[in-house]
Amino acid sequence: MKSAWNLVGMALWLLLIIYFAYIIHDMRARRLRLIVTEKKSFTWHNFWISFGELVVFLLFLWGMSYSTFFLDVKKMDQSRITTSYAYKPLIIRYRADQSDYVMVRTGNGRKPIQNYTYYVDGGKYLVNSTNATIVYGKSNLNVQAETYKWNKEWLDHLDTRYQHAWVATVTTTYKKNLFNGIGLHAGRQADRFSLIRIPDKSFMYVVGD
């Protein structure tokens, strides 16, 4: 477990399940009591009690579901997340026909994504177009990359230092606190995005071309 704060979220989900079981039991018990005591299976008083219990359950379920599954990390303030940046120069891969910094392979399917393979000091990395992008030419940013808060002066410095061949990775992590624990996110990675910079398209080897 990334953080003990996530125990709060687990306890709340367990409480929600117990409350749902209680609602089912209570509705059935009240209906049987009506049949036995008043010879009726329906009264408005009983209906509104059941309705109120169900509304409370649905509100609780909506709140927990939103906190657990539907949070938009890009809209959170710094009290909920931490953001870190890492920069490394790319290592060129020499081949007989073409040398490259990154290999691109397009997947199959109705909505195919591209897989990017690149090398830096320390190993080989494989990312895809859902959490990475490649830029080349004069600009070191594109539309996809600009959704993140980069230090553009530092990116320009990387261009000069590494001859337009580097990768920058931004990682967003949920802080270990009560609010993130409610959604079972405390201490977990929220988002990771890689900006792969190459001098020009000739340094990109596309499989199948």
Side-chain angles (χ1 to χ4, degrees):
M1 181 176 291
K2 298 294 183 178
S3 171
W5 283 114
N6 292 321
L7 292 172
V8 176
M10 294 173 63
L12 290 174
W13 274 110
L14 180 60
L15 181 62
L16 183 63
I17 294 171
I18 293 173
Y19 181 61
F20 180 71
Y22 164 78
I23 289 175
I24 300 300
H25 169 75
D26 186 56
M27 287 180 178
R28 183 173 181 274
R30 283 186 284 103
R31 185 172 183 276
L32 290 175
R33 195 179 306 117
L34 275 176
I35 294 174
V36 172
T37 59
E38 301 184 28
K39 310 300 181 183
K40 297 178 181 179
S41 61
F42 175 85
T43 65
W44 282 107
H45 176 72
N46 190 54
F47 168 81
W48 287 115
I49 293 176
S50 299
F51 179 80
E53 290 177 342
L54 186 61
V55 168
V56 171
F57 170 76
L58 291 176
L59 288 174
F60 195 179
L61 177 62
W62 175 83
M64 288 302 299
S65 297
Y66 179 80
S67 297
T68 305
F69 304 113
F70 303 112
L71 287 177
D72 186 351
V73 67
K74 293 181 180 179
K75 295 181 179 179
M76 290 183 179
D77 58 40
Q78 294 303 308
S79 66
R80 298 286 300 275
I81 58 174
T82 57
T83 304
S84 61
Y85 295 84
Y87 309 93
K88 290 186 177 183
L90 292 172
I91 296 177
I92 195 167
R93 186 176 65 157
Y94 293 100
R95 294 184 291 109
D97 55 339
Q98 177 187 345
S99 299
D100 61 82
Y101 283 111
V102 59
M103 181 177 70
V104 180
R105 186 186 301 272
T106 301
N108 300 317
R110 295 180 61 186
K111 294 183 178 180
I113 61 174
Q114 290 183 318
N115 296 298
Y116 308 135
T117 303
Y118 63 88
Y119 294 83
V120 297
D121 184 22
K124 171 184 175 181
Y125 287 84
L126 175 64
V127 294
N128 61 59
S129 54
T130 61
N131 54 27
T133 188
I134 298 175
V135 294
Y136 52 84
K138 294 182 178 180
S139 176
N140 52 32
L141 287 176
N142 59 16
V143 173
Q144 186 178 1
E146 284 180 344
T147 60
Y148 294 86
K149 296 179 180 179
W150 304 98
N151 183 332
K152 295 183 179 180
E153 291 183 358
W154 185 252
L155 297 186
D156 292 338
H157 166 73
L158 294 176
D159 272 351
T160 302
R161 183 175 181 181
Y162 299 124
Q163 290 76 52
H164 303 84
W166 46 264
V167 58
T169 303
V170 54
T171 303
T172 306
T173 305
Y174 292 102
K175 288 184 177 180
K176 297 179 180 180
N177 56 36
L178 174 62
F179 294 106
N180 289 331
I182 291 174
L184 302 174
H185 297 307
R188 300 181 186 276
Q189 182 176 295
D191 186 39
R192 183 181 176 88
F193 183 83
S194 296
L195 171 61
I196 305 168
R197 170 68 158 144
I198 58 177
D200 58 66
K201 194 174 182 179
S202 65
F203 288 93
M204 180 172 63
Y205 173 58
V206 181
V207 177
D209 276 10

